[in-house]
């Protein structure tokens, strides 16, 4: 499992018509797309996903933002996927992100930062299961093997 991670193209990415550009960056960096869909999160679904941040001052704004339009969760595969993907997207705050990273190129601010990437292998497993059923994943790439 250490070769998989979950990306989410966030509502600002979709609003800015950047789905294609961002996916190009991801594919050019050598990630394989194993599953992808467009979803509109309910407040409860967004709260569940970001449970770990529930006591942070930005939590309510984060839920408003993440439910403001559709998102595109994507299951990605590459060796050392979690770490490699976090390098590709850059720091949470685009002002602090390295040149050439997805957030540096396209994000507006620390909240509206275009894209999510799992922060550990353990969370990648949980986050993938949050958006994709076993059946969807098995059908694509022998997920259950
Ligand atoms: P991500 O790291 O994908 O998941 C948590 C999200 O919370 C983060 O992206 C931002 O969208 C948001 N976030 C994190 N830190 C802050 C902050 N200090 N202020 C506002 N939003 C934040």
């Amino acid at each position: 499992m250490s070769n998989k991670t979950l990306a989410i193209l966030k509502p600002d990415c979709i609003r800015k018509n950047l789905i294609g550009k961002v996916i190009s960056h991801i594919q050019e960096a050598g990630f394989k797309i194993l599953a992808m869909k467009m979803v509109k999160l309910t407040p409860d679904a967004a709260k569940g996903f970001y449970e770990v941040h529930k006591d942070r001052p930005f939590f309510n704004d984060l839920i408003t933002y993440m439910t403001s339009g559709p998102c595109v969760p994507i299951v990605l595969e590459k060796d050392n996927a979690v770490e490699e993907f976090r390098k590709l997207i850059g720091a949470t705050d685009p002002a602090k992100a390295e040149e050439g990273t997805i957030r540096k190129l396209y994000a507006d601010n620390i909240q509206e930062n275009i894209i999510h990437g799992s922060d550990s292998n353990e969370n990648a497993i949980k986050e993938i299961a949050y958006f994709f059923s076993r059946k969807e994943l098995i059908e694509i790439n022998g997920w259950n093997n």
Side-chain angles (χ1 to χ4, degrees):
M1 250 311 285
S2 60
N3 61 347
K4 293 184 181 61
T5 193
L6 182 81
I8 305 175
L9 308 187
K10 297 181 177 182
D12 51 327
C13 182
I14 284 75
R15 268 195 291 277
K16 290 159 93 175
N17 273 338
L18 289 171
I19 294 176
K21 281 193 173 142
V22 171
I23 289 178
S24 286
H25 278 275
I26 293 170
Q27 291 186 309
E28 279 162 20
F31 289 88
K32 187 171 170 192
I33 295 174
L34 300 186
M36 178 164 75
K37 60 171 85 165
M38 185 176 272
V39 295
K40 174 92 161 46
L41 291 176
T42 63
D44 280 350
K47 284 177 193 167
F49 186 79
Y50 285 114
E51 166 96 44
V52 63
H53 294 306
K54 68 179 185 326
D55 297 324
R56 306 290 286 276
F58 58 81
F59 184 70
N60 287 342
D61 287 344
L62 174 61
I63 300 309
T64 302
Y65 159 52
M66 289 302 291
T67 57
S68 67
C71 292
V72 177
I74 308 172
V75 181
L76 296 170
E77 183 178 72
K78 188 184 182 184
D79 286 348
N80 201 16
V82 166
E83 198 181 321
E84 290 292 307
F85 192 66
R86 287 177 74 82
K87 268 192 237 160
L88 180 71
I89 67 179
T92 306
D93 182 353
K96 295 181 183 154
E98 295 218 6
E99 291 298 329
T101 60
I102 290 173
R103 284 170 171 160
K104 183 70 172 187
L105 285 166
Y106 301 120
D108 288 337
N109 57 62
I110 193 167
Q111 177 175 273
E112 304 220 347
N113 63 359
I114 292 281
I115 191 159
H116 168 86
S118 306
D119 65 3
S120 67
N121 291 334
E122 192 191 352
N123 283 337
I125 294 167
K126 286 187 201 154
E127 291 179 0
I128 289 168
Y130 203 81
F131 284 102
F132 295 91
S133 71
R134 213 171 182 79
K135 185 163 172 269
E136 284 170 305
L137 292 159
I138 289 167
E139 281 175 358
I140 292 159
N141 203 34
W143 172 260
N144 203 23
N145 293 341

